[in-house]
Amino acid sequence: MLDHDPDTALLARIGRGDAAAARLLVAAKLPRILGLATRMLHDRAAAEDVAQDAFVRVWRTAAAWQPGAARFDTWLHTVVLNLCRDRLRRRPQMGREAADGGLPEMPDPAPDAESSLIEAERDRTVAIAIASLPERQRDAILLVHYQDLPGAEAAAVLDVSIEALESLLARGRRTLRTRLSSSQEDDAHD
């Protein structure tokens, strides 16, 4: 028996004609499906056509979906691969050679592993720096920059005047700038 398929409930809703469920599924699956089709076909318009065809098939087969035989993601990726292969077979031989050798591969829109690791490390460093601020400076930074509270609301939460909030923010930012720049210098020397 396969692990629980998180898409089963959504497919059941789609099978009952729930257009909102179909929109949710498309929003969740389209970026990866479109990326796969684009990488295979080297043609964004053709990839969009494949994605559309795949989601039409989802809509048509959702009512008959039998959970447990295969995960939905596996089935959907298989459908997309087959649709792409069919398109590649239908291309004239000269067109296929040109598409295979003449066009550069489309870059994956997802960040590469190194960028993701660098971003995660930067986020961790910033979080540590914010956590080490004096409490009121930390709270002011978090309320204004991470909770997006307007200055007046943040000042009310902290029970300070707007001028005091601005002072806390200025001191907190200055401290963060110093700590983060020294952290970058330390990393450069490693």
Side-chain angles (χ1 to χ4, degrees):
M1 178 87 181
L2 294 171
D3 293 340
H4 172 72
D5 189 343
D7 298 313
T8 301
L10 206 51
L11 286 168
R13 288 177 51 199
I14 294 169
R16 292 189 299 270
D18 186 339
R23 285 190 297 274
L24 286 171
L25 187 76
V26 169
K29 306 295 182 183
L30 181 61
R32 291 188 68 207
I33 295 306
L34 194 53
L36 172 63
T38 301
R39 282 188 296 279
M40 285 190 69
L41 300 173
H42 304 287
D43 179 344
R44 180 69 177 206
E48 289 171 356
D49 289 345
V50 164
Q52 182 176 352
D53 290 346
F55 286 113
V56 166
R57 287 184 187 200
V58 170
W59 182 261
R60 288 182 182 155
T61 61
W65 180 257
Q66 295 295 317
R71 287 180 59 94
F72 172 74
D73 260 351
T74 304
W75 177 83
L76 182 59
H77 280 82
T78 301
V79 167
V80 171
L81 285 173
N82 287 334
L83 289 169
C84 288
R85 289 175 184 142
D86 289 347
R87 280 183 176 265
L88 289 171
R89 273 189 228 107
R90 285 193 308 255
R91 286 182 180 169
Q93 188 63 29
M94 183 183 295
R96 186 176 331 147
E97 290 171 3
D100 290 345
L103 295 176
E105 186 170 319
M106 298 298 293
D108 189 344
D112 64 357
E114 182 180 13
S115 297
S116 295
L117 289 172
I118 290 169
E119 184 176 336
E121 178 62 25
R122 186 194 69 231
D123 291 348
R124 188 180 71 77
T125 301
V126 170
I128 290 169
I130 290 172
S132 69
L133 287 172
E135 182 178 325
R136 296 186 56 81
Q137 291 177 21
R138 180 191 66 231
D139 293 348
I141 294 284
L142 292 175
L143 289 172
V144 171
H145 294 289
Y146 289 88
Q147 296 303 117
D148 295 324
L149 287 182
E153 286 183 46
V157 169
L158 294 173
D159 196 26
V160 297
S161 67
I162 292 178
E163 293 79 16
L165 174 70
E166 290 172 357
S167 177
L168 288 168
L169 289 169
R171 289 194 318 267
R173 290 178 189 131
R174 196 168 35 250
T175 302
L176 285 174
R177 199 170 14 258
T178 301
R179 288 182 183 166
L180 293 173
S181 66
S182 68
S183 172
Q184 287 176 345
E185 289 172 9
D186 292 343
D187 289 345
H189 294 296
D190 287 342

